[in-house]
Amino acid sequence: MMLLPTEAIGSIPRSPELMQAQRQFDEGKIDSAAMEASYEEAIEQTIRAFEATGSPILSDGEQRKTHNFVTYSVEGAKNLAPDGLEIPFQDGHVRRLPRLTAGPFHFLLNAYKTFSTAKRFTTLPLKQSIISISALSLLYPAESLPDYSREEFLNDLVDEQEREIRGCFEAGAYKVQIDFTEGRLAVKLDPSGGLLNAFIELNNRVLARFSEEERALIGIHTCPGADHDSTHSADVDYAELLPSLFELKAGNFYIAMAGEANPERALKIVARYLKPNQRAFIGVIDVIDPNIETPEEVCQRVLLAARYIPLEQLGTTDDCGFSPFCDDVSTTRETAFAKIRARVLGTAMAAEQLTSKQGVLHE
């Protein structure tokens, strides 16, 4: 029997020891060698915990992404100021992006350069999550920079992202997942759809550089945000996002669903716009709900998704990462891994029921 594929999104809450080391490093109390040793220890612990859940595909938990999943690649850059775009969350807290002050734009830390660390600790397949270039495009200020136009910036950004994805595959990544949490937010910022369409076009500039076979191993993650148990765009109707989302030239889509007010309606939209060469990994774990789902609850969510999405195009995932920002301690590591184990078991349970009803599940 071929089980339905199931994968995590990425981030796992950092341990108190790792967060303490990061604070000490930021304050100059420990050196970079000690900080790297802390990262390596955290990655190994995370890989071991992932394996214990029975997950077939692992993640390093984004332990090495210093402060957050968005700007890890440019932290420490001298041409960034702290007063960039503000992103308000439903509970009132705000995250703020940095602002580019001058060109050129380049990554300082590449995800593929840290991938080898995680690979040392497991023989199971590893996926790598990276931030979308549409999110990074928000670093460019509203007013044009002297001697570095927005188009020059976007050209550099596209080149950097292509290099990032290719580097991850060359390092041995099973899949590369592009975090596109700003997709739903774009509709909130610009209800006309213009910003969303610009984001789709920008990401497709990168994806068009890859072959069809390579794009089959590239995924897109969308969610309404998940930070301190709050969201930034859950009030945006999925009907305003999903038709455009599937225009991205990728083979896999990781779609937050468990936390939706009306998941059945959203699943119908997914089924309508999902293309034949695409797979939808449906969120069956609500990462901002402190209650740990049972495998039976997960199973029912999978069975609901299977009513609308062809089995050969269906997979399961979590709604989001459990701690995209390193200071988010609203969910413990223990809770995160318990939820992941419930997803793995519940997906297998649903696959068994679907197989008994319909025969063999095809990949």
Side-chain angles (χ1 to χ4, degrees):
M1 180 180 68
M2 178 62 69
L3 296 180
L4 289 170
T6 188
E7 300 175 16
I9 292 300
S11 65
I12 295 295
R14 281 69 161 178
S15 67
E17 293 79 12
L18 179 58
M19 289 190 290
Q20 174 65 12
Q22 184 66 65
R23 285 191 294 269
Q24 290 177 328
F25 179 72
D26 291 343
E27 295 167 0
K29 295 179 179 178
I30 62 173
D31 60 18
S32 58
M35 189 67 245
E36 288 300 327
S38 293
Y39 284 134
E40 183 168 323
E41 181 180 11
I43 291 170
E44 181 177 13
Q45 290 174 349
T46 301
I47 292 291
R48 301 289 179 238
F50 251 118
E51 288 180 329
T53 67
S55 295
I57 310 297
L58 308 185
S59 160
D60 66 0
E62 302 190 358
Q63 304 296 289
R64 183 59 182 81
K65 291 181 179 177
T66 51
H67 294 100
N68 65 75
F69 78 116
V70 180
T71 58
Y72 65 90
S73 61
V74 294
E75 286 196 9
K78 303 302 183 184
N79 57 344
L80 292 176
D83 57 344
L85 178 71
E86 290 188 341
I87 301 175
F89 284 75
Q90 187 178 26
D91 65 355
H93 84 275
V94 174
R95 293 291 186 180
R96 191 161 197 171
L97 297 176
R99 173 179 56 85
L100 190 70
T101 59
F105 177 88
H106 296 295
F107 288 0
L108 298 185
L109 175 68
N110 292 95
Y112 63 80
K113 291 182 179 177
T114 63
F115 185 84
S116 58
T117 301
K119 199 175 179 188
R120 292 206 317 267
F121 300 123
T122 186
T123 58
L124 291 174
L126 278 162
K127 69 185 289 186
Q128 181 62 58
S129 300
I130 63 173
I131 191 60
S132 69
I133 64 168
S134 46
L136 291 175
S137 73
L138 296 173
L139 303 186
Y140 195 89
E143 66 282 0
S144 183
L145 294 173
D147 302 321
Y148 192 57
S149 69
R150 181 174 181 80
E151 190 54 40
E152 288 175 307
F153 164 69
L154 293 179
N155 289 337
D156 286 342
L157 192 49
V158 169
D159 289 342
E160 290 290 304
Q161 186 79 325
E162 179 190 6
R163 188 177 301 113
E164 179 81 310
I165 295 172
R166 293 196 184 282
C168 288
F169 283 134
E170 290 168 4
Y174 165 72
K175 278 185 181 175
V176 175
Q177 172 193 291
I178 299 172
D179 290 324
F180 186 57
T181 184
E182 74 282 3
R184 206 164 178 178
L185 180 63
V187 179
K188 188 170 186 174
L189 296 175
D190 177 15
S192 74
L195 182 59
L196 174 61
N197 290 336
F199 282 173
I200 298 294
E201 181 181 354
L202 180 58
N203 282 287
N204 274 339
R205 283 177 60 182
V206 176
L207 294 168
R209 296 186 176 188
F210 293 86
S211 68
E212 184 175 345
E213 292 74 20
E214 290 168 328
R215 291 197 296 269
L217 298 175
I218 297 175
I220 307 293
H221 167 232
T222 185
C223 72
D227 184 34
H228 292 293
D229 286 350
S230 186
T231 62
H232 54 53
S233 55
D235 53 334
V236 172
D237 193 328
Y238 255 155
E240 301 299 318
L241 169 68
L242 293 177
S244 296
L245 183 75
F246 294 116
E247 293 304 315
L248 286 166
K249 300 180 185 302
N252 306 278
F253 292 82
Y254 303 84
I255 305 167
M257 193 66 67
E260 286 297 301
N262 190 343
E264 189 164 10
R265 176 178 178 271
L267 286 167
K268 291 177 181 178
I269 300 172
V270 172
R272 179 178 179 184
Y273 291 98
L274 185 68
K275 291 179 169 55
N277 62 337
Q278 296 171 338
R279 184 185 293 273
F281 287 79
I282 299 300
V284 293
I285 294 293
D286 186 347
V287 299
I288 65 176
D289 183 350
N291 296 310
I292 298 171
E293 292 87 348
T294 66
E296 290 76 15
E297 288 173 322
V298 170
C299 178
Q300 290 305 308
R301 290 172 179 173
V302 180
L303 294 177
L304 176 63
R307 289 174 55 187
Y308 301 102
I309 299 171
L311 297 182
E312 65 273 14
Q313 292 180 267
L314 179 61
T316 68
T317 188
D318 311 312
D319 273 4
C320 191
F322 288 92
S323 183
F325 294 85
C326 71
D327 61 356
D328 183 359
V329 295
S330 57
T331 302
T332 66
R333 284 173 68 87
E334 292 73 21
T335 294
F337 284 118
K339 281 174 169 279
I340 289 170
R341 180 165 178 76
R343 169 172 49 77
V344 172
L345 293 174
T347 300
M349 189 181 300
E352 183 175 358
Q353 292 188 30
L354 291 166
T355 299
S356 64
K357 290 180 180 179
Q358 303 183 32
V360 178
L361 288 177
H362 297 288
E363 214 175 24

